[in-house]
Amino acid sequence: MIAQAAPTACLALADGTLFYGRGFGATGITTAELCFNTAMTGYQEIMTDPSYAGQIVTFTFPHIGNVGVNADDDESVDPVAAGMIVKWDPTEPSNWRMQDRLGDWLAKRGRIGMGGLDTRRLTRAIRQQGAPHVALQHAPDGQFDLAALVAAARGFEGLVGRDLARDVTCAQSYRWNETRWAWPDGHGTRSGDGAPRVVAVDYGAKRNILRCLASAGCDVTVLPATATAEDVLAHEPQGVFLSNGPGDPAATGAYAVPMIRGVLARNLPVFGICLGHQMLALALGARTVKMNHGHHGANHPVKDLETGKVEITSMNHGFTVDGQSLPDGVSATHVSLFDGSNCGIRMDGRPVFSVQHHPEASPGPQDSFYLFERFRAAMA
């Protein structure tokens, strides 16, 4: 009989539930909100998505880490998610694009991973009780102060009322012209004159969203989340893009809503994604609410209410627009077929629209790329 190795990682939920497993990546303790993601691919893009600030991600798909990591797939400079939970320990990677092992990559960037536990049971717990506050520890010596770990989970302040966009936004403005990855050359560069000028407000923008704007033919300038309407309009944009991002939209809205209303007063085309969708809704007079466990994955069906088309989309959000709060002059355009929550809005008669899902497909399907082309056409 083979002796089982002692656990080197422990996950403590605020209700006192404990999960043991094997740690990888960095050592130490981190606290966060726990969510689960159902995507089968794209773990590196998920870990580097700024929308995951303040969260630990449980992956429901078991084969995480088997293609390694590479610089091209980062959505930001470093991982933003606080940690990751997987069923099976990452295996030796095998992929022609691999530049580093997942565990080594996490260790270098100070992020904790944990494997070897029942992620189905953990996912059921998240669905039943809502996204819990947790503390995750990786201790190679297997020594845990369980009372202190549970206390740390209970002490996590949560995401409600927190403006995390300030933590992940860019420090200063910059231009963006890199386009989407394509075989065999990789990422390209937008070329040609006469492209419409777009200001992208960075609440935690994924690189591939910016690449999609460039691929759709936009001349993109990125501004920090705290940019004012005057800052945005000083660039003489022909359109304004509101990016994805983390945290409570109501908190970020304290400074984002006045900026958006100032832009809307100039009758410019506006396109928002994820947190940008929620920011636009707040600026138009709607409300946002915290979800039980959120939507996180690359297989979420969304129905376009205007065409009847069903798109398979990528999602990552723990707050949602209250569809019942949309004011006159604002119409719902998309809805989740999982739970009926709002996934898109538009201003009637104006080129102002937004969606909750991530149409840039990194990771995920490409059903919704047409939204970038719609935005480009609105500026023509």
Side-chain angles (χ1 to χ4, degrees):
M1 185 174 180
I2 300 175
Q4 198 132 23
T8 57
C10 181
L11 177 72
L13 278 58
D15 67 359
T17 304
L18 300 172
F19 291 83
Y20 293 95
R22 293 176 293 276
F24 57 92
T27 58
I29 300 174
T30 187
T31 58
E33 178 183 276
L34 184 68
C35 66
F36 65 87
N37 189 296
T38 57
M40 296 175 67
T41 62
Y43 54 83
Q44 181 182 345
E45 292 94 324
I46 291 165
M47 290 298 294
T48 55
D49 179 353
S51 296
Y52 279 108
Q55 294 180 300
I56 292 172
V57 184
T58 299
F59 288 86
T60 62
F61 186 69
H63 301 287
I64 300 299
N66 57 0
V67 296
V69 295
N70 68 84
D72 281 347
D73 289 345
D74 284 342
E75 292 293 350
S76 58
V77 175
D78 286 309
V80 181
M84 67 190 307
I85 308 293
V86 299
K87 180 177 177 60
W88 293 335
D89 298 342
T91 58
E92 186 68 17
S94 176
N95 186 275
W96 66 275
R97 298 175 67 227
M98 189 272 290
Q99 296 172 340
D100 203 356
R101 295 172 176 83
L102 175 60
D104 294 341
W105 179 76
L106 290 172
K108 293 171 187 174
R109 289 160 174 79
R111 293 296 186 268
I112 299 174
M114 175 181 177
L117 75 163
D118 187 349
T119 52
R120 284 193 173 194
R121 180 188 166 203
L122 188 56
T123 299
R124 284 197 300 270
I126 297 170
R127 288 183 60 88
Q128 290 166 2
Q129 68 184 65
H133 297 174
V134 300
L136 172 62
Q137 181 176 7
H138 175 196
D141 62 2
Q143 300 299 308
F144 306 102
D145 184 338
L146 299 180
L149 207 56
V150 172
R154 292 173 178 168
F156 178 65
E157 60 185 309
L159 301 185
V160 174
R162 292 183 64 188
D163 169 29
L164 296 179
R166 288 179 186 268
D167 297 339
V168 297
T169 189
C170 56
Q172 59 188 22
S173 64
Y174 61 94
R175 299 287 296 278
W176 184 276
N177 64 359
E178 188 176 76
T179 56
R180 294 193 295 170
W181 195 95
W183 172 265
D185 300 319
H187 297 302
T189 302
R190 184 191 63 80
S191 60
D193 299 324
R197 297 181 303 277
V198 171
V199 165
V201 183
D202 174 16
Y203 300 118
K206 296 170 68 176
R207 290 174 174 174
N208 216 48
I209 287 180
L210 301 178
R211 293 185 188 110
C212 285
L213 288 169
S215 293
C218 299
D219 181 355
V220 181
T221 298
V222 184
L223 296 188
T226 53
T228 64
E230 291 74 20
D231 295 333
V232 172
L233 296 172
H235 290 269
E236 299 183 348
Q238 294 164 273
V240 175
F241 173 75
L242 310 173
S243 86
N244 64 292
D248 188 338
T252 303
Y255 55 85
V257 164
M259 180 279 291
I260 296 169
R261 288 176 175 168
V263 168
L264 291 174
R266 295 296 186 94
N267 292 317
L268 291 170
V270 176
F271 175 31
I273 288 175
C274 193
L275 183 62
H277 162 66
Q278 297 162 358
M279 291 295 97
L280 179 61
L282 290 173
L284 294 174
R287 296 188 304 270
T288 57
V289 295
K290 184 76 164 70
M291 305 176 76
N292 178 62
H293 55 270
H295 288 166
H296 310 278
N299 50 5
H300 285 247
V302 168
K303 183 175 183 179
D304 186 329
L305 298 175
E306 299 178 327
T307 66
K309 177 184 176 183
V310 175
E311 305 163 23
I312 303 302
T313 71
S314 286
M315 284 199 181
N316 174 20
H317 62 108
F319 294 79
T320 187
V321 172
D322 180 357
Q324 301 301 313
S325 70
L326 297 180
D328 292 339
V330 179
S331 298
T333 59
H334 296 76
V335 64
S336 167
L337 294 185
F338 277 162
D339 60 11
S341 59
N342 178 269
C343 290
I345 61 172
R346 65 171 173 82
M347 286 188 72
D348 298 341
R350 288 183 57 180
V352 175
F353 62 98
S354 61
V355 292
Q356 184 64 73
H357 46 284
H358 290 209
E360 95 294 344
S362 183
Q366 302 185 24
D367 298 22
S368 303
F369 181 78
Y370 70 89
L371 292 165
F372 293 99
E373 296 169 334
R374 177 182 293 177
F375 181 50
R376 170 68 172 81
M379 295 181 285

